């Protein structure tokens, strides 16, 4: 198998599939391109090299167009004009495909979607190229004790997805953090390299960046935490798959983010809208509720069994 990456964040999608391939003695090669951003493989080459050794894949810089044997996987078509394999398979990156799909659709053999609700957004639900298998990003075997020890989790924990800097001025972040603290929560603040914050500003809350990229800290923490504080990020999808309740602050226009791209989740039981009640009352309701049946139903109807994704992909593209 071949994989093309221009950003370290792509590894969250590729490495679970590479691991499953290793179990079946299917070798993998990752071709990388520089992008100049903080996610650039060249800037993170030491980490990428270590992951190559850990997960047993070859690592090659892609400098000119080439032909390769076997299926080739892309994220949102990145690098698709530089490499040609026996099959071109695209993986969607969160909801970016809703804008980017016209650039690569005619160049791929398959596109992997989380569910038909996602391909319907671009009217590709019945296209023979559409594989509704889920997302490899979540096909992981979590070790909860290891995550607890790594991040020193407390009895109650909240993942706080720090808002984009253009939205920050509209939010009383200190008030939210203080309320969570009073309710007994240890808060983990997750931010990104392109939206940096000073950790000294929040001395009582660990500020988490992207770490070694895989396993990704936001995925580990979302799995292990009791709730997530969200600011219209489409990470609501991840919370649903990993069975974590969400308290959402509506800060973006209705045609963007959570409201614009994942509107079919707006009224789900696990989503609590901060403008409808006080944060204290919402937290109290979450702590009294059992979401097990709701998440089980949601995963069956709107998402996927996260532990079967890689197997389905390999059964399709490597059997042809």
């Amino acid at each position: 198998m071949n994989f093309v990456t221009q950003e370290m964040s792509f590894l969250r999608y590729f490495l679970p599939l590479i691991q499953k391939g290793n179990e079946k003695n299917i070798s993998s090669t990752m071709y990388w391109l520089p992008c100049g951003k903080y996610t650039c493989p060249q800037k993170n080459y030491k980490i990428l090299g270590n992951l190559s050794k850990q997960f047993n894949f070859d690592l090659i810089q892609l400098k000119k167009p080439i032909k390769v044997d076997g299926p080739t996987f892309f994220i949102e078509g990145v690098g698709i004009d530089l490499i040609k394999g026996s099959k071109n398979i695209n993986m969607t990156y969160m909801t970016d495909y809703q804008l980017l799909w016209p650039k690569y659709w005619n160049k791929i053999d398959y596109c992997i979607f989380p569910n038909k609700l996602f391909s319907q957004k671009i009217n590709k639900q019945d296209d023979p190229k559409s594989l509704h298998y889920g997302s490899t990003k979540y096909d992981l075997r979590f070790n909860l004790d290891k995550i607890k020890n790594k991040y020193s989790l407390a009895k109650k924990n909240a993942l706080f997805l720090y808002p984009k800097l253009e939205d920050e001025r509209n939010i009383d972040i200190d008030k939210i953090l203080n309320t969570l603290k009073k309710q007994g929560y240890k808060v983990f603040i997750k931010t990104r390299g392109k939206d940096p914050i000073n950790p000294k500003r929040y001395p009582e809350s660990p500020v988490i960046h992207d770490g070694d990229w895989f396993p990704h800290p936001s995925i580990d923490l979302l799995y292990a935490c009791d709730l997530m504080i969200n600011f219209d990020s489409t990470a609501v999808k991840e919370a649903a798959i990993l069975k974590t309740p969400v308290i959402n602050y509506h800060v973006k226009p209705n045609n963007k983010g959570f409201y614009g791209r994942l509107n079919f989740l707006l009224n789900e039981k696990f989503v609590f809208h901060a403008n409808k009640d006080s944060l204290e009352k919402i937290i109290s309701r979450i702590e009294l509720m059992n979401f097990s049946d709701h998440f089980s139903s949601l995963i069956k109807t709107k998402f996927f069994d996260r532990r079967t994704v890689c197997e389905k992909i390999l059964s399709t593209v490597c059997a042809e």
Side-chain angles (χ1 to χ4, degrees):
M1 296 188 292
N2 308 290
F3 300 83
V4 181
T5 185
Q6 195 175 31
E7 300 196 34
M8 296 294 286
S9 52
F10 292 5
L11 301 182
R12 287 176 282 184
Y13 297 85
F14 290 158
L15 288 178
L17 191 56
I18 289 174
Q19 286 181 283
K20 179 60 70 173
N22 288 341
E23 294 174 12
K24 297 176 178 292
N25 295 316
I26 300 172
S27 61
S28 295
T29 300
M30 188 173 295
Y31 295 88
W32 65 272
L33 298 159
C35 69
K37 300 192 292 186
Y38 75 99
T39 56
C40 179
Q42 194 167 34
K43 293 182 179 181
N44 295 271
Y45 193 78
K46 183 176 180 180
I47 293 173
L48 186 58
N50 289 337
L51 291 170
S52 170
K53 294 175 184 177
Q54 181 180 353
F55 296 105
N56 192 32
F57 60 87
D58 293 327
L59 193 57
I60 298 174
Q61 183 175 4
L62 189 56
K63 297 181 179 180
K64 60 182 181 180
I66 61 170
K67 289 185 178 181
V68 295
D69 294 324
T72 303
F73 294 85
F74 304 87
I75 301 293
E76 299 298 351
V78 172
I80 200 165
D81 293 324
L82 291 174
I83 186 169
K84 176 62 178 175
S86 59
K87 295 286 183 182
N88 285 349
I89 303 103
N90 184 72
M91 294 179 174
T92 57
Y93 188 99
M94 297 297 284
T95 56
D96 290 5
Y97 72 96
Q98 294 179 22
L99 299 174
L100 299 175
W101 71 269
K103 296 181 180 180
Y104 56 76
W105 196 263
N106 291 333
K107 302 174 183 179
I108 62 173
D109 296 284
Y110 296 116
C111 184
I112 299 166
F113 291 99
N115 183 288
K116 276 197 173 184
L117 287 170
F118 290 80
S119 57
Q120 283 173 0
K121 288 283 188 178
I122 58 171
N123 296 315
K124 295 295 183 183
Q125 64 272 21
D126 298 316
D127 193 300
K129 292 183 180 182
S130 298
L131 301 178
H132 302 102
Y133 288 170
S135 176
T136 55
K137 183 179 179 180
Y138 314 100
D139 195 343
L140 302 167
R141 187 179 291 110
F142 291 100
N143 185 325
L144 188 56
D145 289 334
K146 187 176 180 180
I147 296 171
K148 286 180 177 179
N149 291 332
K150 181 176 181 178
Y151 294 101
S152 300
L153 265 60
K155 185 177 180 180
K156 297 196 293 184
N157 304 277
L159 179 61
F160 186 101
L161 294 190
Y162 205 85
K164 289 188 175 181
L165 299 185
E166 67 258 27
D167 299 321
E168 183 183 4
R169 62 181 178 272
N170 300 318
I171 306 161
D172 191 341
I173 290 175
D174 289 335
K175 183 179 179 181
I176 298 171
L177 293 175
N178 287 334
T179 300
L180 288 165
K181 180 183 175 183
K182 288 177 182 177
Q183 297 293 314
Y185 285 83
K186 181 174 182 178
V187 183
F188 294 86
I189 298 174
K190 175 64 180 70
T191 188
R192 304 178 298 174
K194 61 182 177 181
D195 294 313
I197 59 174
N198 187 348
K200 294 180 180 179
R201 183 176 171 184
Y202 306 107
E204 296 183 6
S205 297
V207 175
I208 309 296
H209 293 88
D210 293 299
D212 288 341
W213 298 100
F214 188 86
H216 200 270
S218 61
I219 299 295
D220 278 353
L221 285 169
L222 187 52
Y223 175 78
C225 283
D226 302 285
L227 58 87
M228 181 179 85
I229 304 294
N230 191 56
F231 299 92
D232 278 344
S233 165
T234 55
V236 172
K237 180 191 82 169
E238 299 183 327
I241 295 165
L242 298 176
K243 304 179 180 181
T244 304
V246 174
I247 301 173
N248 187 69
Y249 287 80
H250 187 29
V251 297
K252 297 182 182 298
N254 286 341
N255 64 340
K256 293 185 177 181
F258 176 24
Y259 276 66
R261 297 187 179 183
L262 294 173
N263 56 327
F264 59 87
L265 294 176
L266 284 171
N267 297 316
E268 292 294 344
K269 183 180 176 181
F270 79 101
V271 177
F272 295 81
H273 298 278
N275 63 321
K276 294 186 177 181
D277 214 334
S278 69
L279 182 55
E280 292 90 343
K281 289 181 179 179
I282 292 174
I283 291 172
S284 295
R285 283 206 298 275
I286 289 174
E287 291 178 344
L288 291 172
M289 293 175 70
N290 186 329
F291 295 91
S292 298
D293 290 342
H294 173 61
F295 279 125
S296 295
S297 175
L298 188 64
I299 286 168
K300 287 180 181 178
T301 58
K302 296 185 177 180
F303 291 100
F304 50 89
D305 180 352
R306 65 177 182 83
R307 293 295 284 125
T308 64
V309 179
C310 292
E311 184 68 45
K312 288 179 180 178
I313 293 171
L314 292 182
S315 295
T316 298
V317 302
C318 291
E320 295 181 344

